[in-house]
């Protein structure tokens, strides 16, 4: 590749990625030359500024035409813009949480904390714009490896060490399964380009090849199910969520989970959505909708029922996160539906906002009480009415009650189950039933907040980063619940 060809690319479409990369490199160099013992918190503010700059640069690209560079391996389309907005918004809020985070045993490695988060974010953003199996996989591994290190960053905490080990083992297994599934598609088409695969996959007619394509879909979906923590591939989530630093837990539950759905959607739309069944009448995605429906049903049931027995708030939110992955999978049973894509995007946006708001309060309460037990929320209303109102809004949204973003997200996903020629009535019924079950453990938190005696007389103190995150998430959760179309109007996106 000569210099003229390199210069001919429209590199401006990668501006958000270049900003994140540059910020990560800057933070790593600054951290390297800083004296030991000096506070690294201000590095977090630089990282936050970098993410804000990336959001601004992305905003200027909203109306731009779809652009493809690097031999069709990187694309800036409506899909990429929509999901990069969620990723960057979530990462910005998590950076504020990380600045506020102060574990009892200290965190000497705070510098690494910031630029590893940026590296993980960069991997997720690359996945959103990838049109090639290689770049998809590189982005996935950049996200995964950074997350493994972040999960075990509290080196003196045994639970953190345990969580990192379990995460690495399960992550390695999922990576192997995913890569094995991708190898089948490469073997069938002879190319890693998602665009070049389409005509070859459309032309598949022999039953043997279609059988291999079906195996590939199952392997890739199972491998990525580890990433989004669906049952029965959820084993790592509760332990990792409990042991990891709270901002990392928030990152895994929001940004990393969103990235997992991004790669699934990319592959489903570009690859498996173009493979016909043996009759050549419909996509194999339609053929395997029953498999996805069963996975979604089991995930919703297990996530919500096991959460009923949890006393640790981070483990409770881990099982809640598993249940929400099941809700999103309900949207995947309607690949023929005209609006399922918008519904999934809106649900993920709502989930990121309300979940990060909840983790902000969890972090603040845990720091004051020294425990992550649900009882730490006892009497929160008397110590801080604002914190009590905030956590109530987030919990009600997670539960899916009207007037919140979570309600709109769930109702659109619920309606998705009826858009097919064969409505998934049983799956929709399970979604309603498990949502009702979730009220018991969600409202159990609110019972502690409003109706239990306070555990400590110490007043609740707000730090600036924590207050910013809480207020932003509160406002966004309510506004998206009242004006759900505002997100699409603001971004001027049509990703159907």
């Amino acid at each position: 590749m000569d210099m003229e060809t390199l210069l001919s690319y429209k590199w401006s479409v990668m501006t958000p990625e270049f900003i994140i990369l540059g910020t990560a490199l800057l933070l790593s160099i600054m951290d390297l030359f800083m004296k030991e013992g000096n506070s690294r918190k201000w590095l977090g503010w630089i990282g936050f500024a970098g993410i804000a700059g990336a959001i601004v640069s992305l905003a200027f690209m909203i109306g731009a035409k779809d652009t493809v560079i690097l031999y069709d391996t990187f694309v800036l389309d409506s899909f990429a813009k929509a999901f990069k907005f969620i990723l960057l918004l979530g990462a910005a809020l998590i950076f504020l949480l990380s600045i506020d985070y102060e574990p009892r045993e200290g965190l000497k490695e705070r510098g690494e904390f910031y630029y590893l988060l940026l590296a993980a974010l960069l991997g997720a953003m690359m996945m959103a714009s990838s049109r090639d199996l290689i770049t998809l996989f590189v982005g996935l591994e950049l996200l995964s490896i950074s997350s493994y290190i972040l999960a075990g960053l509290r080196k003196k905490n045994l639970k953190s060490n345990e969580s990192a080990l379990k995460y690495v083992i399960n992550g390695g297994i999922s990576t192997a399964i995913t890569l094995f599934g991708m190898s089948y598609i490469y073997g069938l088409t002879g190319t890693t380009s998602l665009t070049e695969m389409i005509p070859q996959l459309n032309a598949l007619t022999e039953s043997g090849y279609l059988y291999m394509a079906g195996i590939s879909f199952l392997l890739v979906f199972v491998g990525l199910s580890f990433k989004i923590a669906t049952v029965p591939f959820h084993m790592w989530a509760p332990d990792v969520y409990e042991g990891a630093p709270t901002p990392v837990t928030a990152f895994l539950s929001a940004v990393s989970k969103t990235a997992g759905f991004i790669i699934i959607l990319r592959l489903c739309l570009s690859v498996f959505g173009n493979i016909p069944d043996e009759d050549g009448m419909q996509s194999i995605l339609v053929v395997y909708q029953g498999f996805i429906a069963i996975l979604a049903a089991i995930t919703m049931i297990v996530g919500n029922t096991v959460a009923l027995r949890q006393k640790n708030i981070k483990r409770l939110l881990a099982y809640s996160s598993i249940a929400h992955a099941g809700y999103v999978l309900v949207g995947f049973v309607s690949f023929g539906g005209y609006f399922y894509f918008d519904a999934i995007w809106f649900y993920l946006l709502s989930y990121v906002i309300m979940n990060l708001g909840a983790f902000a309060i969890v972090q603040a309460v845990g720091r004051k009480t020294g425990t992550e037990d649900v009882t730490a929320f006892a009497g929160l209303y008397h110590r801080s009415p604002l914190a009590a109102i905030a956590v109530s809004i987030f919990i009600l949204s997670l539960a899916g009650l009207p007037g919140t973003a979570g309600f709109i997200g769930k109702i659109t996903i619920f309606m998705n189950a009826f858009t097919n020629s064969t409505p998934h009535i049983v799956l929709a019924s399970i979604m309603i039933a498990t949502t009702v079950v979730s009220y018991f453990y969600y409202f159990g938190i609110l019972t502690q907040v409003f109706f239990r005696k306070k555990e400590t007389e110490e007043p609740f103190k707000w730090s600036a980063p924590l207050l910013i995150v809480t207020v932003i998430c509160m406002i966004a959760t309510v506004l998206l619940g009242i004006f759900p179309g505002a997100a699409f109007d603001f971004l001027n996106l049509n990703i159907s």
Side-chain angles (χ1 to χ4, degrees), residues 95-347:
F95 248 78
L96 291 174
L97 290 182
S98 66
I99 294 169
D100 176 72
Y101 182 64
E102 285 291 350
R104 287 180 174 264
E105 71 273 14
L107 191 65
K108 288 182 62 178
E109 296 77 24
R110 187 175 291 276
E112 293 97 306
F113 195 84
Y114 296 128
Y115 49 79
L116 282 171
L117 274 173
L118 288 174
L121 172 62
L122 180 62
M125 293 174 67
M126 290 299 297
M127 288 160 57
S129 284
S130 292
R131 264 196 187 175
D132 191 275
L133 289 180
I134 294 176
T135 51
L136 268 176
F137 185 73
V138 169
L140 177 63
E141 286 308 286
L142 180 57
L143 168 66
S144 299
I145 293 173
S146 300
S147 300
Y148 301 154
I149 303 171
L150 287 167
L153 211 54
R154 296 163 62 190
K155 297 179 181 178
K156 297 180 181 179
N157 186 290
L158 292 179
K159 286 187 177 181
S160 184
N161 297 337
E162 178 188 356
S163 72
L165 180 61
K166 289 183 177 179
Y167 197 18
V168 168
I169 293 173
N170 282 277
I173 294 171
S174 70
T175 296
I177 296 174
T178 303
L179 197 58
F180 188 44
M182 288 180 176
S183 69
Y184 273 83
I185 289 296
Y186 175 72
L188 286 171
T189 61
T191 179
T192 59
S193 171
L194 302 185
T195 305
E196 294 177 8
M197 287 179 184
I198 293 176
Q200 299 185 53
L201 294 173
N202 279 326
L204 290 179
T205 55
E206 295 187 20
S207 60
Y209 291 153
L210 293 173
Y211 179 72
M212 290 177 64
I215 292 177
S216 174
F217 170 75
L218 291 175
L219 286 171
V220 170
F221 205 92
V222 166
L224 294 176
S225 291
F226 280 91
K227 301 296 182 184
I228 60 176
T230 60
V231 178
F233 317 108
H234 68 292
M235 302 82 67
W236 60 272
D239 292 330
V240 174
Y241 279 36
E242 181 182 5
T246 303
V248 176
T249 303
F251 179 85
L252 296 176
S253 70
V255 176
S256 182
K257 187 180 288 287
T258 299
F261 280 110
I262 286 173
I263 190 171
I264 292 175
L265 282 169
R266 267 291 185 202
L267 291 174
C268 286
L269 294 172
S270 301
V271 180
F272 302 112
N274 291 284
I275 302 176
D277 62 359
E278 292 189 5
D279 298 326
M281 300 297 293
Q282 56 188 2
S283 163
I284 66 166
L285 289 179
V286 179
V287 176
Y288 284 102
Q289 277 184 4
F291 164 76
I292 300 173
I294 293 173
L295 198 65
I298 297 174
T299 301
M300 290 186 290
I301 293 170
V302 172
N304 283 305
T305 54
V306 179
L308 293 171
R309 302 293 298 172
Q310 301 306 310
K311 300 301 181 184
N312 182 287
I313 187 66
K314 287 168 73 174
R315 291 184 73 87
L316 187 151
L317 290 176
Y319 282 103
S320 167
S321 176
I322 292 166
H324 281 277
Y327 299 146
V328 177
L329 282 182
V330 174
F332 280 76
V333 302
S334 301
F335 284 106
Y338 67 92
F339 70 96
Y340 84 95
F341 199 28
D342 286 2
I344 292 174
W345 179 83
F346 184 86
Y347 194 97

